[in-house]
Amino acid sequence: MNYDIIVEIRSLAGLADPEGLAIERALPSLGFDGVQGVHVGKVFRFSVEAPTETVARRTAEEMCERLLANPVIEAAEIRVVADSPGVPA
Amino acid sequence: MNYDIIVEIRSLAGLADPEGLAIERALPSLGFDGVQGVHVGKVFRFSVEAPTETVARRTAEEMCERLLANPVIEAAEIRVVADSPGVPA
């Protein structure tokens, strides 16, 4: 069965987020007031062929550990969003 | 009131996603089979001070149009996730 996976990668809390900071600083001069706490992350969407949702999630976790995230500075949030019959996300 | 906003930016369907393709090609040699359709996007999280949820969403839409996304090649999905009393996301 195919499982659609969404992985969101974020900087660990307390670490610098220079891109977010740059955006936050640019906003007032563009006329956006009252916007705070800008954080930038990455999102990966893919589909995994696996016998069960647990196996699909475990595959996504291993992908994060080995390829998608740097666990020293980043946290990964994994969502298994839907089953789909062979259609990639 | 503060609204927590999540904006996900993705390439428009049909456009090349070279980073996703590179990941997809690397996966088999790392022992991950059955992973397809890898797409990479960006996610922005921030909080907006606004009188209503509609105003907060409109602010996020304008930020996407003017700063966060390139509408020629990217689509933005905006979620207003929660109210919080002055705490940035």
Side-chain angles (χ1 to χ4, degrees):
Chain A
M1 197 176 292
N2 265 300
Y3 295 90
D4 293 340
I5 311 278
I6 303 175
V7 175
E8 186 181 333
I9 309 285
R10 285 189 266 177
S11 296
L12 289 174
L15 291 185
D17 182 344
E19 192 176 354
L21 207 60
I23 291 168
E24 202 167 324
R25 286 184 181 156
L27 289 168
S29 64
L30 291 168
F32 296 104
D33 296 311
V35 180
Q36 287 183 73
V38 180
H39 289 93
V40 185
K42 274 192 150 179
V43 61
F44 298 92
R45 288 171 176 262
F46 49 88
S47 72
V48 173
E49 170 76 33
T52 67
E53 185 177 323
T54 308
V55 174
R57 181 177 289 274
R58 184 70 205 122
T59 299
E61 286 169 357
E62 283 176 17
M63 284 173 62
C64 287
E65 287 162 17
R66 296 189 56 196
L67 185 65
L68 304 180
N70 175 350
V72 177
I73 56 167
E74 293 171 330
E77 180 189 324
I78 296 168
R79 275 172 288 159
V80 181
V81 280
D83 301 36
S84 61
V87 180
Chain B
M1 198 177 290
N2 266 301
Y3 295 89
D4 292 341
I5 312 277
I6 303 175
V7 175
E8 186 180 334
I9 309 285
R10 286 189 266 178
S11 296
L12 289 174
L15 291 185
D17 183 344
E19 192 176 354
L21 209 60
I23 291 169
E24 201 167 325
R25 284 182 183 157
L27 289 169
S29 64
L30 291 169
F32 295 104
D33 297 312
V35 180
Q36 288 182 72
V38 180
H39 289 93
V40 185
K42 274 192 150 180
V43 61
F44 298 91
R45 288 171 176 263
F46 48 89
S47 73
V48 173
E49 170 77 33
T52 68
E53 185 177 325
T54 308
V55 174
R57 181 178 290 274
R58 184 70 204 121
T59 300
E61 286 170 358
E62 283 176 17
M63 283 173 62
C64 287
E65 286 163 17
R66 297 189 55 198
L67 185 66
L68 304 180
N70 176 350
V72 177
I73 57 168
E74 293 171 328
E77 180 189 324
I78 295 167
R79 275 173 287 159
V80 181
V81 280
D83 300 36
S84 62
V87 182

